Amino acid sequence: MKTLAKSAARSATKYALGALCGLMLGTASAQAAEGVKLPEQDWSFDGVLGLFDRAQLQRGLQVYREVCAGCHGLRYIAFRNLADLQYNEDQIKAIASEAIIVDGPDDEGEMFEREGRLPDYFPSPFANDKAAAASNNGAVPPDLSLMAKARFGGADYIHALLTGYEEAPADFEVLEGLSYNAYFPGHQIAMAQPLDDDAVEYADGTEASLDQMARDVAAFLTWTAEPKLEARKTAGIWVILFFLFVTGVTYASKKKIWADLHKDDGSKE
Ligand code: HEC
């Protein structure tokens, strides 16, 4: 009887701690772990002139499809958007056709499943959030389309998170079902380490080290969060060139107008 009461008290404390941690994880997840500096990576898309590396985006898509898509959707990306990654229409149709899309209702009022097509969006792997949470220790794997924008550090954070699984310090108790991660706020994450060396075999022959895959999928998720990044940068450069041109023309006309006035002044003397 005594031991029963004791174990009940113990599990109650455990649940209370779990709930508290859950609350903390939930509120703190807008940023990387407090006081932890994210290692800064070099990205091809950094800077005013930086562009995406197409080969890297294709590798990132492969990592997403083969690993992350098991738990995470990309609801703002349609298959036809993959044309941006320099795939041709047949390749995109082939990728889309491997997705299962729930469509309907049909004439009998039933929903049905069909192969994906170009205008479809990457589907979520779970029917709803309850089903997603039930399969993942109570945590819902978030949609990844805008993740690179939603987290401080963007691609650096995603790369750090995926490579940041390590042994917890001796004085740190990791709750059951969670994993220790150096960069996740609160350090306990409900996503078990998703990538390890050679988790995929790259179509382009690149060595699939953990670091390489984390880098490629982080670049890919930067593209999903801002597919128009390059157009924005190019537009910015044209705007600057336009203003330089206008400045030049204005300066030249000012000189011309005042040159005439100066001449008039001169003739009066
Ligand atoms: C087995 C399921 C599973 C797989 C596979 C998986 N994840 Fe997750 N992921 C989760 C869960 C669950 C969470 C929510 C974790 C939490 O809130 O504690 C999560 C959260 C995340 C987050 C958000 C972290 C934050 O700051 O809130 C990112 C980013 C992420 N996953 C990226 C990835 C990437 C990239 C891959 C593929 C390489 C991947 N995940 C594969 C289950 C998964």
Side-chain angles (χ1 to χ4, degrees), residues 104-129:
D106 61 14
D107 291 344
E108 272 79 50
E110 303 290 337
M111 299 303 279
F112 59 92
E113 287 182 349
R114 61 165 173 80
E115 277 183 5
R117 297 193 289 250
L118 295 184
D120 289 321
Y121 288 77
F122 278 82
S124 164
F126 300 102
N128 51 58
D129 279 359

mmCIF file of all heavy atoms in Angstrom, residues 104-129:
data_model
loop_
_atom_site.group_PDB
_atom_site.id
_atom_site.type_symbol
_atom_site.label_atom_id
_atom_site.label_comp_id
_atom_site.label_asym_id
_atom_site.label_seq_id
_atom_site.Cartn_x
_atom_site.Cartn_y
_atom_site.Cartn_z
ATOM 1 N N GLY A 104 -11.546 14.905 -53.005
ATOM 2 C CA GLY A 104 -12.967 14.608 -52.910
ATOM 3 C C GLY A 104 -13.758 15.774 -52.389
ATOM 4 O O GLY A 104 -13.224 16.877 -52.299
ATOM 5 N N PRO A 105 -15.001 15.611 -52.027
ATOM 6 C CA PRO A 105 -15.729 14.335 -52.106
ATOM 7 C C PRO A 105 -16.128 13.983 -53.541
ATOM 8 O O PRO A 105 -16.307 14.871 -54.364
ATOM 9 C CB PRO A 105 -16.974 14.618 -51.255
ATOM 10 C CG PRO A 105 -17.137 16.098 -51.294
ATOM 11 C CD PRO A 105 -15.797 16.689 -51.455
ATOM 12 N N ASP A 106 -16.235 12.665 -53.819
ATOM 13 C CA ASP A 106 -16.674 12.214 -55.141
ATOM 14 C C ASP A 106 -18.210 12.257 -55.215
ATOM 15 O O ASP A 106 -18.868 12.760 -54.292
ATOM 16 C CB ASP A 106 -16.121 10.806 -55.440
ATOM 17 C CG ASP A 106 -16.605 9.779 -54.432
ATOM 18 O OD1 ASP A 106 -17.569 10.087 -53.683
ATOM 19 O OD2 ASP A 106 -16.038 8.670 -54.383
ATOM 20 N N ASP A 107 -18.775 11.703 -56.290
ATOM 21 C CA ASP A 107 -20.230 11.795 -56.489
ATOM 22 C C ASP A 107 -21.022 11.126 -55.362
ATOM 23 O O ASP A 107 -22.177 11.463 -55.123
ATOM 24 C CB ASP A 107 -20.624 11.170 -57.840
ATOM 25 C CG ASP A 107 -20.101 12.038 -58.971
ATOM 26 O OD1 ASP A 107 -19.739 13.199 -58.684
ATOM 27 O OD2 ASP A 107 -20.014 11.548 -60.112
ATOM 28 N N GLU A 108 -20.373 10.152 -54.678
ATOM 29 C CA GLU A 108 -21.063 9.487 -53.556
ATOM 30 C C GLU A 108 -20.801 10.224 -52.234
ATOM 31 O O GLU A 108 -21.199 9.747 -51.165
ATOM 32 C CB GLU A 108 -20.592 8.036 -53.407
ATOM 33 C CG GLU A 108 -21.387 7.033 -54.249
ATOM 34 C CD GLU A 108 -20.931 7.069 -55.708
ATOM 35 O OE1 GLU A 108 -19.707 6.986 -55.933
ATOM 36 O OE2 GLU A 108 -21.797 7.223 -56.586
ATOM 37 N N GLY A 109 -20.070 11.331 -52.300
ATOM 38 C CA GLY A 109 -19.783 12.079 -51.071
ATOM 39 C C GLY A 109 -18.599 11.525 -50.300
ATOM 40 O O GLY A 109 -18.360 11.926 -49.161
ATOM 41 N N GLU A 110 -17.845 10.600 -50.913
ATOM 42 C CA GLU A 110 -16.706 9.996 -50.210
ATOM 43 C C GLU A 110 -15.408 10.690 -50.597
ATOM 44 O O GLU A 110 -15.218 11.090 -51.749
ATOM 45 C CB GLU A 110 -16.579 8.501 -50.601
ATOM 46 C CG GLU A 110 -17.810 7.662 -50.344
ATOM 47 C CD GLU A 110 -18.068 7.449 -48.858
ATOM 48 O OE1 GLU A 110 -17.098 7.555 -48.078
ATOM 49 O OE2 GLU A 110 -19.226 7.190 -48.491
ATOM 50 N N MET A 111 -14.493 10.812 -49.601
ATOM 51 C CA MET A 111 -13.146 11.293 -49.922
ATOM 52 C C MET A 111 -12.401 10.100 -50.518
ATOM 53 O O MET A 111 -12.704 8.946 -50.217
ATOM 54 C CB MET A 111 -12.428 11.769 -48.663
ATOM 55 C CG MET A 111 -13.109 12.919 -47.958
ATOM 56 S SD MET A 111 -13.349 14.373 -48.981
ATOM 57 C CE MET A 111 -11.728 15.141 -48.886
ATOM 58 N N PHE A 112 -11.427 10.379 -51.361
ATOM 59 C CA PHE A 112 -10.660 9.278 -51.967
ATOM 60 C C PHE A 112 -9.192 9.687 -52.104
ATOM 61 O O PHE A 112 -8.858 10.868 -52.009
ATOM 62 C CB PHE A 112 -11.255 8.906 -53.325
ATOM 63 C CG PHE A 112 -11.279 10.051 -54.304
ATOM 64 C CD1 PHE A 112 -10.222 10.247 -55.192
ATOM 65 C CD2 PHE A 112 -12.344 10.949 -54.328
ATOM 66 C CE1 PHE A 112 -10.237 11.312 -56.085
ATOM 67 C CE2 PHE A 112 -12.353 12.020 -55.222
ATOM 68 C CZ PHE A 112 -11.301 12.202 -56.104
ATOM 69 N N GLU A 113 -8.346 8.680 -52.298
ATOM 70 C CA GLU A 113 -6.914 8.957 -52.441
ATOM 71 C C GLU A 113 -6.516 8.842 -53.895
ATOM 72 O O GLU A 113 -7.054 8.012 -54.625
ATOM 73 C CB GLU A 113 -6.109 7.963 -51.604
ATOM 74 C CG GLU A 113 -6.222 8.249 -50.117
ATOM 75 C CD GLU A 113 -5.374 7.295 -49.276
ATOM 76 O OE1 GLU A 113 -4.880 6.291 -49.825
ATOM 77 O OE2 GLU A 113 -5.226 7.564 -48.072
ATOM 78 N N ARG A 114 -5.606 9.684 -54.318
ATOM 79 C CA ARG A 114 -5.108 9.607 -55.694
ATOM 80 C C ARG A 114 -3.640 10.020 -55.722
ATOM 81 O O ARG A 114 -3.127 10.568 -54.734
ATOM 82 C CB ARG A 114 -5.933 10.503 -56.611
ATOM 83 C CG ARG A 114 -5.873 11.963 -56.232
ATOM 84 C CD ARG A 114 -6.370 12.871 -57.334
ATOM 85 N NE ARG A 114 -6.449 14.252 -56.885
ATOM 86 C CZ ARG A 114 -5.405 15.091 -56.801
ATOM 87 N NH1 ARG A 114 -4.206 14.673 -57.124
ATOM 88 N NH2 ARG A 114 -5.564 16.323 -56.370
ATOM 89 N N GLU A 115 -2.996 9.791 -56.880
ATOM 90 C CA GLU A 115 -1.590 10.205 -57.039
ATOM 91 C C GLU A 115 -1.500 11.723 -57.122
ATOM 92 O O GLU A 115 -2.406 12.370 -57.629
ATOM 93 C CB GLU A 115 -1.056 9.653 -58.369
ATOM 94 C CG GLU A 115 -0.580 8.244 -58.299
ATOM 95 C CD GLU A 115 0.008 7.795 -59.636
ATOM 96 O OE1 GLU A 115 0.125 8.621 -60.566
ATOM 97 O OE2 GLU A 115 0.334 6.613 -59.741
ATOM 98 N N GLY A 116 -0.388 12.282 -56.653
ATOM 99 C CA GLY A 116 -0.194 13.726 -56.737
ATOM 100 C C GLY A 116 -0.009 14.193 -58.177
ATOM 101 O O GLY A 116 0.443 13.425 -59.028
ATOM 102 N N ARG A 117 -0.393 15.467 -58.412
ATOM 103 C CA ARG A 117 -0.217 16.077 -59.733
ATOM 104 C C ARG A 117 0.493 17.422 -59.569
ATOM 105 O O ARG A 117 0.624 17.918 -58.447
ATOM 106 C CB ARG A 117 -1.588 16.280 -60.383
ATOM 107 C CG ARG A 117 -2.317 14.963 -60.626
ATOM 108 C CD ARG A 117 -3.499 15.156 -61.547
ATOM 109 N NE ARG A 117 -4.591 15.871 -60.910
ATOM 110 C CZ ARG A 117 -5.761 15.300 -60.579
ATOM 111 N NH1 ARG A 117 -5.966 14.019 -60.821
ATOM 112 N NH2 ARG A 117 -6.711 16.008 -60.012
ATOM 113 N N LEU A 118 0.876 18.041 -60.688
ATOM 114 C CA LEU A 118 1.673 19.284 -60.616
ATOM 115 C C LEU A 118 1.092 20.378 -59.707
ATOM 116 O O LEU A 118 1.832 20.990 -58.934
ATOM 117 C CB LEU A 118 1.900 19.865 -62.023
ATOM 118 C CG LEU A 118 2.752 19.018 -62.966
ATOM 119 C CD1 LEU A 118 2.971 19.756 -64.277
ATOM 120 C CD2 LEU A 118 4.093 18.712 -62.331
ATOM 121 N N PRO A 119 -0.217 20.674 -59.759
ATOM 122 C CA PRO A 119 -0.721 21.778 -58.913
ATOM 123 C C PRO A 119 -0.923 21.407 -57.447
ATOM 124 O O PRO A 119 -1.206 22.285 -56.633
ATOM 125 C CB PRO A 119 -2.087 22.117 -59.538
ATOM 126 C CG PRO A 119 -2.245 21.241 -60.725
ATOM 127 C CD PRO A 119 -1.265 20.134 -60.631
ATOM 128 N N ASP A 120 -0.783 20.133 -57.090
ATOM 129 C CA ASP A 120 -0.976 19.738 -55.679
ATOM 130 C C ASP A 120 0.148 20.260 -54.810
ATOM 131 O O ASP A 120 1.274 20.446 -55.267
ATOM 132 C CB ASP A 120 -1.004 18.208 -55.550
ATOM 133 C CG ASP A 120 -2.270 17.621 -56.139
ATOM 134 O OD1 ASP A 120 -3.337 18.223 -55.966
ATOM 135 O OD2 ASP A 120 -2.171 16.565 -56.795
ATOM 136 N N TYR A 121 -0.170 20.425 -53.524
ATOM 137 C CA TYR A 121 0.836 20.841 -52.550
ATOM 138 C C TYR A 121 1.375 19.617 -51.820
ATOM 139 O O TYR A 121 0.671 18.615 -51.691
ATOM 140 C CB TYR A 121 0.220 21.841 -51.562
ATOM 141 C CG TYR A 121 -0.012 23.182 -52.224
ATOM 142 C CD1 TYR A 121 -1.078 23.386 -53.094
ATOM 143 C CD2 TYR A 121 0.882 24.226 -52.017
ATOM 144 C CE1 TYR A 121 -1.258 24.603 -53.742
ATOM 145 C CE2 TYR A 121 0.709 25.449 -52.649
ATOM 146 C CZ TYR A 121 -0.352 25.625 -53.520
ATOM 147 O OH TYR A 121 -0.515 26.818 -54.162
ATOM 148 N N PHE A 122 2.633 19.712 -51.335
ATOM 149 C CA PHE A 122 3.207 18.600 -50.568
ATOM 150 C C PHE A 122 2.281 18.305 -49.385
ATOM 151 O O PHE A 122 2.021 19.204 -48.576
ATOM 152 C CB PHE A 122 4.586 18.983 -50.030
ATOM 153 C CG PHE A 122 5.695 18.832 -51.033
ATOM 154 C CD1 PHE A 122 5.943 19.808 -51.984
ATOM 155 C CD2 PHE A 122 6.508 17.703 -51.030
ATOM 156 C CE1 PHE A 122 6.966 19.681 -52.905
ATOM 157 C CE2 PHE A 122 7.540 17.563 -51.944
ATOM 158 C CZ PHE A 122 7.770 18.554 -52.891
ATOM 159 N N PRO A 123 1.794 17.090 -49.276
ATOM 160 C CA PRO A 123 0.805 16.810 -48.223
ATOM 161 C C PRO A 123 1.461 16.594 -46.853
ATOM 162 O O PRO A 123 2.645 16.280 -46.771
ATOM 163 C CB PRO A 123 0.175 15.500 -48.700
ATOM 164 C CG PRO A 123 1.243 14.834 -49.496
ATOM 165 C CD PRO A 123 2.091 15.919 -50.103
ATOM 166 N N SER A 124 0.650 16.772 -45.807
ATOM 167 C CA SER A 124 1.126 16.425 -44.465
ATOM 168 C C SER A 124 1.001 14.912 -44.317
ATOM 169 O O SER A 124 0.046 14.321 -44.804
ATOM 170 C CB SER A 124 0.259 17.121 -43.420
ATOM 171 O OG SER A 124 0.473 16.503 -42.175
ATOM 172 N N PRO A 125 1.990 14.269 -43.678
ATOM 173 C CA PRO A 125 1.922 12.807 -43.563
ATOM 174 C C PRO A 125 0.851 12.309 -42.583
ATOM 175 O O PRO A 125 0.546 11.125 -42.557
ATOM 176 C CB PRO A 125 3.319 12.428 -43.082
ATOM 177 C CG PRO A 125 3.857 13.672 -42.444
ATOM 178 C CD PRO A 125 3.214 14.829 -43.125
ATOM 179 N N PHE A 126 0.289 13.204 -41.770
ATOM 180 C CA PHE A 126 -0.714 12.767 -40.790
ATOM 181 C C PHE A 126 -2.084 13.348 -41.144
ATOM 182 O O PHE A 126 -2.171 14.448 -41.693
ATOM 183 C CB PHE A 126 -0.323 13.206 -39.381
ATOM 184 C CG PHE A 126 0.994 12.645 -38.918
ATOM 185 C CD1 PHE A 126 2.134 13.429 -38.924
ATOM 186 C CD2 PHE A 126 1.095 11.317 -38.521
ATOM 187 C CE1 PHE A 126 3.369 12.909 -38.520
ATOM 188 C CE2 PHE A 126 2.320 10.788 -38.116
ATOM 189 C CZ PHE A 126 3.460 11.585 -38.118
ATOM 190 N N ALA A 127 -3.142 12.585 -40.794
ATOM 191 C CA ALA A 127 -4.497 13.017 -41.145
ATOM 192 C C ALA A 127 -4.869 14.303 -40.405
ATOM 193 O O ALA A 127 -5.563 15.159 -40.941
ATOM 194 C CB ALA A 127 -5.493 11.919 -40.813
ATOM 195 N N ASN A 128 -4.406 14.467 -39.167
ATOM 196 C CA ASN A 128 -4.694 15.673 -38.388
ATOM 197 C C ASN A 128 -3.693 15.776 -37.233
ATOM 198 O O ASN A 128 -2.883 14.862 -37.027
ATOM 199 C CB ASN A 128 -6.140 15.634 -37.848
ATOM 200 C CG ASN A 128 -6.424 14.327 -37.135
ATOM 201 O OD1 ASN A 128 -5.722 13.989 -36.180
ATOM 202 N ND2 ASN A 128 -7.403 13.578 -37.603
ATOM 203 N N ASP A 129 -3.745 16.893 -36.499
ATOM 204 C CA ASP A 129 -2.763 17.138 -35.434
ATOM 205 C C ASP A 129 -2.812 16.091 -34.329
ATOM 206 O O ASP A 129 -1.791 15.729 -33.745
ATOM 207 C CB ASP A 129 -2.978 18.531 -34.822
ATOM 208 C CG ASP A 129 -2.342 19.611 -35.682
ATOM 209 O OD1 ASP A 129 -1.735 19.251 -36.710
ATOM 210 O OD2 ASP A 129 -2.479 20.796 -35.328
#
